[in-house]
């Protein structure tokens, strides 16, 4: 069967485009990135019928107040002065008027300026994505609007975009424009939405899909950053760009946990060294006191023995014996109160027991029914 490339705006509705969700731990940054994705709605103003929704695509904020989408999404704006564009954010309570600033039909890119409203822009990754890297397509597929039975009025009200996951497929590209081939499911309405990596950075703008006769699109094409950046620079727009490799949240969490464990181990090693130094110091002090006290005690006995021949012998002997006994008593005290090895091993055991108890307490709290 021959494979045809068709504009995503003409793709049939695909319920399967909503499949392929990743585990929650892998979605964190993609979920945050979805806040920067908007619906690009074309509003027709007919003197007889009034305003009505002509069609829609998706878009993404790449700089303050600036939205990138597909050129074919906004092409009707050039056909009639009675058609306007509105930017519908993912949250809030209203849509905002937009103005078409630039359009490139070859690269299928267009730039829209929001007349009001603030949407956090996404950075653009300008490095080389891995050939089989995990990606997500974010946008407003019409299949979901139909499945949720949204009216035309509801479609131009803020609502969260849809995220579908897939992977890049070998780095293949079209000859006339630099594109990324991927497997993230899309449907009509995804046009102009971003293709993001696992770190939520824009690596392409979804444009069209590959159709196998009557079947739904199995592959999608996104206009790559190598086309996006020159297009924006020609419009005098300087988006945030990055070339750093993506470290997904789970991997970053694993690395941070390993780093914390390494730091904890170093801390425990330093504490252990300090413990042994204090223990050795206490033992050395006890020995010094014991030896000194024994010498004074012995000297005092000798002085008392010769007290008849040496007048100060009684005084010196008594003082020496008393001081010697005090020093030896201090040696016993220092020895008995030296840091115990039991204390050294008791703390890790207590920490391990506390760590085991925390999940159990959390589970008990989750199982406990809410109070009246």
């Amino acid at each position: 069967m021959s494979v045809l490339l068709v504009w995503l705006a003409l793709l049939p509705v695909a319920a399967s485009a909503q499949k392929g969700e990743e585990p929650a731990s892998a979605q964190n940054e993609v979920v945050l990135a979805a806040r920067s994705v908007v619906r690009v709605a074309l509003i027709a103003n007919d003197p007889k019928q009034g305003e009505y929704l002509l069609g829609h695509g998706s878009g993404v904020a790449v700089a303050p107040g600036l939205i990138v989408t597909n050129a074919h999404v906004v092409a009707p704006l050039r056909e009639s002065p009675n058609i306007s564009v509105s930017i519908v954010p993912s949250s809030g309570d209203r849509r905002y008027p937009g103005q078409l600033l630039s359009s490139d039909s070859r690269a299928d890119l267009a730039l829209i300026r929001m007349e009001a409203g603030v949407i956090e822009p996404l950075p653009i990754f300008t490095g080389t994505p891995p050939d089989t890297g995990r990606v997500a397509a974010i946008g407003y597929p019409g299949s979901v609007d139909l499945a949720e039975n949204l009216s035309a009025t509801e479609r131009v009200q803020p609502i969260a975009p849809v995220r579908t996951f897939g992977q890049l497929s070998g780095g293949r590209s079209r000859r006339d424009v630099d594109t990324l081939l991927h497997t993230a499911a899309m449907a009509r309405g995804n046009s102009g939405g971003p293709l993001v990596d696992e770190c939520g950075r824009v690596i392409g703008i979804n444009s069209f899909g590959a159709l196998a006769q009557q079947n739904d699109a199995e592959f999608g094409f996104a206009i790559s950053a190598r086309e996006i950046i020159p297009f924006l620079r020609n419009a005098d727009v300087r988006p945030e760009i990055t070339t750093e490799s993506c470290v997904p949240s789970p991997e970053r969490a694993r690395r941070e946990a390993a780093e914390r464990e390494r730091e904890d181990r170093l801390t425990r090693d330093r504490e252990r060294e300090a413990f042994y130094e204090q223990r050795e110091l206490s033992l050395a002090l006890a020995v010094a006191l014991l030896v000194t006290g024994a010498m004074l005690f012995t000297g005092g006995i000798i002085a008392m023995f010769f007290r008849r021949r040496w007048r100060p012998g009684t005084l010196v002997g008594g003082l020496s014996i008393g001081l010697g006994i005090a020093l030896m008593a201090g040696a016993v005290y220092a020895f008995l109160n030296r840091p115990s090895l039991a204390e050294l091993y008791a703390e890790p055991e207590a920490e391990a027991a506390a760590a085991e108890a925390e999940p159990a307490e959390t589970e008990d709290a989750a199982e406990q029914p809410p109070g009246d």
Side-chain angles (χ1 to χ4, degrees), residues 331-347:
V332 173
Y333 178 84
F335 178 79
L336 294 179
N337 287 275
R338 73 191 188 284
S340 172
L341 292 176
E343 297 177 1
L344 180 64
Y345 297 106
E347 290 185 3

Side-chain angles (χ1 to χ4, degrees), residues 4 80 118 136 257 276:
L4 303 176
S80 173
V118 177
Y276 282 121

Side-chain angles (χ1 to χ4, degrees), residues 223-273:
I223 310 301
S224 77
R226 286 188 288 270
E227 297 281 358
I228 301 171
I229 296 302
F231 169 75
L232 292 176
R233 286 178 176 169
N234 288 337
D236 199 26
V237 177
R238 298 293 183 267
E240 179 185 352
I241 62 175
T242 179
T243 58
E244 295 182 0
S245 299
C246 173
V247 181
S249 295
E251 176 63 17
R252 186 163 61 250
R254 186 192 67 78
R255 293 185 184 182
E256 291 174 353
E259 180 63 20
R260 287 195 299 270
E261 183 178 353
R262 187 184 71 84
E263 292 178 355
D264 291 343
R265 185 167 58 252
L266 290 175
T267 301
R268 288 195 297 270
D269 290 343
R270 287 194 292 267
E271 291 176 350
R272 187 177 290 109
E273 291 177 1

Side-chain angles (χ1 to χ4, degrees), residues 272-286:
R272 187 177 290 109
E273 291 177 1
F275 173 86
Y276 282 121
E277 289 178 359
Q278 184 178 359
R279 180 179 171 85
E280 292 174 359
L281 181 61
S282 298
L283 289 174
L285 177 62

